[in-house]
Amino acid sequence: GAVVSQHPSRVICKSGTSVKIECRSLDFQATTMFWYRQFPKQSLMLMATSNEGSKATYEQGVEKDKFLINHASLTLSTLTVTSAHPEDSSFYICSVLGGGAQETQYFGPGTRLLVL
Amino acid sequence: KQEVTQIPAALSVPEGENLVLNCSFTDSAIYNLQWFRQDPGKGLTSLLLIQSSQREQTSGRLNASLDKSSGRSTLYIAASQPGDSATYLCAVPNTGNQFYFGTGTSLTVIP
């Protein structure tokens, strides 16, 4: 399956700053990537679908101006949390939609964001 | 909208026991169902994927079954080990390959 990396693995920032999280597909050209968010003791929730070369599709309740997604190449999608606040502190996970008949998703290791 | 539920929310068993985790989903028109493992603070590890046409998949001590018509899947773990302690998530994709995750079962295997 595809190998997916995320950078950074954890980040601490001050309230009001912006944070960029990178998701890379290391061995697979990914037309579609997904961004998830997981709050403590809760399951993953899909935030947005990132399509290479086009605008991301956001789930209901996710502010597109706050969570900027850029998928400029087939191996890289970035999520920028703008003007981060403590309530944005969460675990952010990206995934890559694999090819083939099964079309499974391959998940990155996640990024822990703490906003002070 | 697809809703995925997992029971129980938490489970604690002594080492060596066989156990069953349950997953139910409201929309039976699924393409596949996937079971994941998540260790604390970590990403997801895919355990098993069952296509909608399949009834079960096996990998080592893990066996997952799927009953599409009733909207249920089970993950059977044989001879549990302390290293199996983790949160187990089931997930189903919609037509856009966006996954709907269950609420998870937190498993603790006591040595």
Side-chain angles (χ1 to χ4, degrees):
Chain A
V3 178
V4 182
S5 70
Q6 283 185 239
H7 178 80
S9 58
R10 58 192 304 139
V11 56
I12 301 172
C13 69
K14 293 182 179 179
S15 184
T17 60
S18 293
V19 175
K20 179 185 284 188
I21 302 170
E22 294 184 348
C23 176
R24 291 184 184 273
S25 176
L26 300 182
D27 58 353
F28 182 79
Q29 293 190 321
T31 304
T32 304
M33 293 185 178
F34 302 94
W35 286 96
Y36 296 84
R37 178 169 54 183
Q38 184 180 35
F39 292 107
K41 299 190 184 301
Q42 296 186 25
S43 192
L44 280 78
M45 296 295 292
L46 178 66
M47 297 177 66
T49 303
S50 170
N51 297 299
E52 188 266 337
S54 63
K55 291 183 178 180
T57 303
Y58 291 81
E59 294 298 297
Q60 193 172 9
V62 179
E63 300 176 56
K64 63 179 182 179
D65 294 329
K66 181 170 181 62
F67 298 99
L68 301 179
I69 292 173
N70 184 283
H71 191 160
S73 78
L74 290 173
T75 59
L76 174 65
S77 176
T78 60
L79 169 68
T80 301
V81 183
T82 62
S83 186
H85 291 285
E87 57 264 31
D88 297 324
S89 299
S90 188
F91 193 54
Y92 293 86
I93 301 179
C94 71
S95 71
V96 165
L97 182 63
Q102 293 192 350
E103 290 197 322
T104 190
Q105 288 187 26
Y106 302 96
F107 288 81
T111 296
R112 174 75 60 191
L113 170 63
L114 177 61
V115 184
L116 302 176
Chain B
K1 182 182 175 181
Q2 180 74 269
E3 291 185 9
V4 184
T5 306
Q6 289 183 246
I7 295 173
L11 182 62
S12 183
V13 300
E15 181 177 2
E17 269 203 12
N18 302 325
L19 56 101
V20 175
L21 309 181
N22 298 290
C23 173
S24 61
F25 45 94
T26 55
D27 186 351
S28 62
I30 64 171
Y31 290 97
N32 58 56
L33 183 144
Q34 200 161 351
W35 282 93
F36 294 89
R37 168 187 173 137
Q38 185 178 31
D39 292 284
K42 305 283 188 179
L44 302 180
T45 301
S46 178
L47 298 174
L48 289 164
L49 181 146
I50 312 177
Q51 295 294 341
S52 61
S53 58
Q54 297 174 318
R55 292 196 65 84
E56 66 178 286
Q57 278 283 347
T58 298
S59 176
R61 292 183 294 109
L62 306 179
N63 176 277
S65 68
L66 174 64
D67 184 342
K68 246 183 61 167
S69 60
S70 66
R72 295 178 190 277
S73 176
T74 61
L75 178 66
Y76 176 83
I77 302 177
S80 58
Q81 302 170 358
D84 294 331
S85 298
T87 295
Y88 290 81
L89 298 163
C90 69
V92 292
N94 67 4
T95 54
N97 284 299
Q98 298 156 343
F99 272 39
Y100 291 96
F101 283 86
T103 44
T105 294
S106 177
L107 173 65
T108 302
V109 180
I110 303 166

